[in-house]
Amino acid sequence: FDTDPDPVFIKLRGRRIPVYPPDNAQPNTNPDKPDQRLALEWVYGYRGKDCRNNLVVVNETGELAYFTAAIVVLYNLKKHTQRHYTQHTDDVKSLAVHPDGRTIASGQVAGHEEVQGELMVNHHYLTQDHMDQLMVNHHYLTYGHTDQLILNHHYLTQGHMDQLMVYHHYLTQDHMDQLMGHMDQVLVASFTPFEINEGVLSLVSCGKQHVSFWNIEEGRLKCDRGRFDHHVKPLYISCLTFARNGDVITGDTNGTIYVWREGTNEISSSVTNAHQGPVYALLVLPNGDLLSGGGKDGTVRAWNNMKELSPTGVELRYGVTGIRTLAFDDSNTLYIGTTDNCIWTVRPIPLTLHLKSLSSQGHSDSLQGLAAHPSEPKFFTAGSDMTVRVWNSADHSVQLFRPPADNRDKKLIPCAVSVSSTADTIAVGYKDGRCAQEKISDLKYSPDGKCLAVASHDNNIYVYTLENGGKSMELCGKCEGHTSYVTHFDWSVGSDFIQSTSGDYELLFWDAKKCEQIKLAKDMRNTEWATQNCVLGYPVLGIWPKKADGTDINSVDRSHSRTLLATGD
């Protein structure tokens, strides 16, 4: 009689996927979630590529505040420690520090429940030990020096995106005024640090082809548009700062720096071609000199602003895509955020403008591959920025591996990475390589170190035998049978079998030596797998929520103790 166990079915997108319990399967007597919880230890990276207001100095605590994804990082450079604010529900887009030096506003893009285009704001009160949230659910731009917060809200009406300026007092929670602005995109706004007229607060906003000067008197907002007259017409004014004499200084993506006379909407002077490409950052130093950062030429330039802008001859150049942000602290240290997601430290000031150290870095494009070192606290990543990096999780350092010389002209984009069991070689799969007909989605060394399997978007898995200590390889065979691209796969402990999943939610099994499909899934129920990266199978039944549509779980990994699973969506 048949003693084979009955399958359990996973239902996804109309497909019933049978999975078989092993013969030694025990009933689950404890369905509760495990007691263990993830604790964020370190954030690698910084979002400089596509965000403004992304790096500020918190002088009260001596920390740098920046963000990536939905996390705000407070980094102590001297102690090399991080604190994290993790209460955002979507990507953070901007930061502002209150003049008290202890309160930060961080704005995120709207979650699924919010109106499209909104920016939500959280306020955090900082001490050396913790961060307390003070207020949520507002749209933020900048702090004033008397507890005001200006919020910029994209207001969708009749198919047009208008700008709604909201004037808010964050301590009393009072909504003081709002004024519909204009259809031109607003990129940045800032309160003037000086009181031009008694009882009148002023702020400046700028963006697509405009600069606007706002006065707040008796709780009401009034606006004057900047006049460009005979000066170079603007494209996108992307940054602004204030000179010590009260003048407003703005930078444009056309490479021009404009100086606006204090208390007026008129330009007193301008410098065309200040940078080759956009001006993304401006910063006035304590001595009155101006620093500007080029978003394309990767240059920081110093300007004397006694009567009109003139270059001082001091420049900083290095091999980055561009300068995104400039920040300055009380210890005369300059911090430079770049568009390739790095933060550089420069000291001392006055400037010789030589690089002191690299405070933070990350991939400058999407992260495609991740693999852990088998025995040391290190991990490897591969990114669409055409780099492979090794990270040390003990001291939180990083070493950059640049692409091989023969790949630089081809611009091959890494998509996956794997480390051999002896950690003497790593394998990198590329988007347009020679190992498969389409993009490589995953690759793994066999546990015995004799083979390398490569999964591809051409629906196949290629098995290679390794030669010359892993430095060369020869195709052993091709596993054909999936009807969609291969997403994940695992080797068996003995390196004899492979299990794999695909984009249409198939779970297939293979004889790795013959590269042939094993048709009867029940025959593989007692196989011990070296890893558990396939999101389908009996060992991972519990990761799928009820009424899952298949996109709920995109990745899974098993702990070395074989008692815990971590999933990614």
Side-chain angles (χ1 to χ4, degrees):
F1 56 93
D2 188 5
T3 59
D4 292 336
D6 293 329
V8 179
F9 290 94
I10 303 174
K11 297 180 182 179
L12 294 173
R13 293 290 180 98
R15 180 188 288 270
R16 298 176 78 242
I17 304 133
V19 295
Y20 289 85
D23 292 342
N24 61 354
Q26 300 295 322
N28 185 6
T29 59
N30 182 15
D32 296 332
K33 294 181 180 180
D35 294 332
Q36 293 88 341
R37 294 291 183 268
L38 292 175
L40 182 59
E41 177 184 328
W42 198 266
V43 174
Y44 298 85
Y46 149 78
R47 186 168 180 172
K49 183 177 181 179
D50 59 355
C51 289
R52 300 169 183 84
N53 289 1
N54 56 14
L55 174 65
V56 295
V57 176
V58 186
N59 286 311
E60 179 75 13
T61 61
E63 294 169 305
L64 285 179
Y66 55 91
F67 56 81
T68 186
I71 299 173
V72 178
V73 180
L74 290 162
Y75 174 56
N76 190 306
L77 189 64
K78 294 180 180 179
K79 298 179 180 179
H80 192 50
T81 58
Q82 286 185 353
R83 297 188 292 155
H84 310 105
Y85 181 79
T86 59
Q87 300 305 306
H88 280 286
T89 58
D90 212 324
D91 286 355
V92 181
K93 297 289 286 187
S94 56
L95 291 173
V97 178
H98 190 276
D100 66 10
R102 294 177 296 175
T103 308
I104 291 179
S106 54
Q108 69 170 62
V109 297
H112 296 296
E113 300 83 8
E114 303 300 327
V115 179
Q116 181 179 2
E118 289 186 358
L119 206 72
M120 297 175 58
V121 167
N122 288 352
H123 291 260
H124 325 294
Y125 181 79
L126 307 181
T127 69
Q128 292 292 346
D129 301 319
H130 65 278
M131 289 173 283
D132 294 328
Q133 183 174 334
L134 295 183
M135 187 181 71
V136 297
N137 298 340
H138 283 287
H139 323 283
Y140 123 93
L141 279 181
T142 182
Y143 275 113
H145 54 80
T146 55
D147 297 331
Q148 290 81 16
L149 180 66
I150 286 295
L151 316 168
N152 184 39
H153 172 57
H154 303 289
Y155 185 76
L156 187 61
T157 174
Q158 297 181 350
H160 299 289
M161 193 67 74
D162 292 336
Q163 305 294 319
L164 180 65
M165 301 295 294
V166 180
Y167 176 42
H168 189 91
H169 196 290
Y170 97 94
L171 286 180
T172 63
Q173 309 291 308
D174 291 334
H175 175 85
M176 302 181 70
D177 194 17
Q178 66 184 39
L179 178 67
M180 187 65 67
H182 38 73
M183 292 177 59
D184 295 332
Q185 184 181 10
V186 177
L187 300 180
V188 65
S190 180
F191 279 99
T192 58
F194 318 103
E195 189 173 22
I196 300 175
N197 298 312
E198 185 177 355
V200 178
L201 290 175
S202 300
L203 67 113
V204 182
S205 65
C206 57
K208 182 180 179 181
Q209 299 180 340
H210 79 279
V211 175
S212 295
F213 299 87
W214 305 76
N215 288 323
I216 307 170
E217 187 173 4
E218 296 180 352
R220 305 301 299 177
L221 286 167
K222 298 179 181 179
C223 177
D224 286 326
R225 297 277 287 217
R227 295 170 51 187
F228 289 87
D229 296 332
H230 63 279
H231 295 275
V232 175
K233 300 304 179 184
L235 293 177
Y236 284 86
I237 296 183
S238 58
C239 56
L240 68 89
T241 189
F242 298 91
R244 297 180 68 184
N245 64 358
D247 289 349
V248 178
I249 307 174
T250 61
D252 197 289
T253 55
N254 62 15
T256 303
I257 297 176
Y258 304 94
V259 180
W260 304 80
R261 188 174 293 108
E262 178 189 12
T264 72
N265 62 344
E266 299 177 352
I267 296 174
S268 61
S269 63
S270 65
V271 178
T272 59
N273 299 318
H275 287 274
Q276 296 178 4
V279 181
Y280 278 163
L282 294 170
L283 176 69
V284 173
L285 299 176
N287 66 357
D289 285 349
L290 174 72
L291 297 183
S292 62
K296 182 179 180 180
D297 58 16
T299 299
V300 176
R301 291 193 171 128
W303 306 81
N304 187 296
N305 193 33
M306 295 299 293
K307 292 185 178 179
E308 61 180 20
L309 288 176
S310 59
T312 63
V314 180
E315 294 187 359
L316 167 64
R317 295 177 183 269
Y318 51 97
V320 300
T321 305
I323 310 299
R324 174 63 73 183
T325 305
L326 299 173
F328 186 72
D329 68 11
D330 289 342
S331 64
N332 290 337
T333 301
L334 175 67
Y335 302 97
I336 303 172
T338 66
T339 56
D340 60 351
N341 297 340
C342 294
I343 300 175
W344 292 90
T345 304
V346 179
R347 62 164 65 97
I349 302 289
L351 294 175
T352 56
L353 282 185
H354 62 277
L355 292 178
K356 175 67 175 179
S357 63
L358 186 62
S359 299
S360 176
Q361 66 169 295
H363 283 281
S364 60
D365 211 329
S366 59
L367 182 63
Q368 299 289 332
L370 171 66
H373 193 284
S375 58
E376 298 180 12
K378 296 179 181 179
F379 59 95
F380 300 78
T381 58
S384 296
D385 57 1
M386 296 185 292
T387 64
V388 177
R389 309 183 188 212
V390 55
W391 309 75
N392 190 315
S393 57
D395 62 9
H396 308 120
S397 62
V398 59
Q399 180 180 355
L400 176 65
F401 288 173
R402 296 193 179 277
D406 61 344
N407 285 348
R408 291 178 183 174
D409 294 335
K410 299 177 183 179
K411 293 185 177 181
L412 299 182
I413 298 175
C415 295
V417 63
S418 180
V419 187
S420 65
S421 58
T422 55
D424 54 355
T425 58
I426 64 171
V428 181
Y430 288 88
K431 184 176 181 179
D432 300 308
R434 290 170 289 183
C435 296
Q437 298 179 14
E438 294 185 28
K439 171 184 174 180
I440 293 174
S441 54
D442 196 6
L443 74 169
K444 284 187 178 72
Y445 286 96
S446 60
D448 62 10
K450 296 180 180 180
C451 296
L452 177 72
V454 179
S456 171
H457 274 227
D458 63 11
N459 305 352
N460 301 318
I461 299 175
Y462 300 82
V463 180
Y464 292 86
T465 55
L466 300 177
E467 302 172 348
N468 300 322
K471 296 181 180 179
S472 60
M473 58 187 189
E474 182 177 347
L475 181 64
C476 174
K478 180 169 59 174
C479 301
E480 298 179 280
H482 276 293
T483 55
S484 183
Y485 59 93
V486 182
T487 56
H488 309 88
F489 73 89
D490 301 291
W491 282 94
S492 66
V493 171
S495 303
D496 298 316
F497 305 105
I498 292 173
Q499 66 173 351
S500 59
T501 55
S502 61
D504 58 354
Y505 312 109
E506 285 182 316
L507 173 62
L508 301 183
F509 299 91
W510 312 89
D511 184 321
K513 305 298 182 183
K514 300 178 182 180
C515 293
E516 295 178 353
Q517 183 181 349
I518 300 172
K519 299 291 186 177
L520 296 178
K522 64 182 180 179
D523 292 345
M524 302 300 296
R525 67 184 184 275
N526 294 318
T527 304
E528 185 179 0
W529 300 104
T531 57
Q532 184 62 61
N533 295 134
C534 286
V535 296
L536 300 174
Y538 185 83
V540 294
L541 273 176
I543 69 176
W544 290 99
K546 293 181 179 179
K547 298 182 180 179
D549 66 355
T551 61
D552 307 86
I553 304 295
N554 292 321
S555 59
V556 65
D557 199 8
R558 185 185 63 199
S559 65
H560 293 298
S561 65
R562 297 174 178 262
T563 59
L564 295 172
L565 292 171
T567 62
D569 58 18

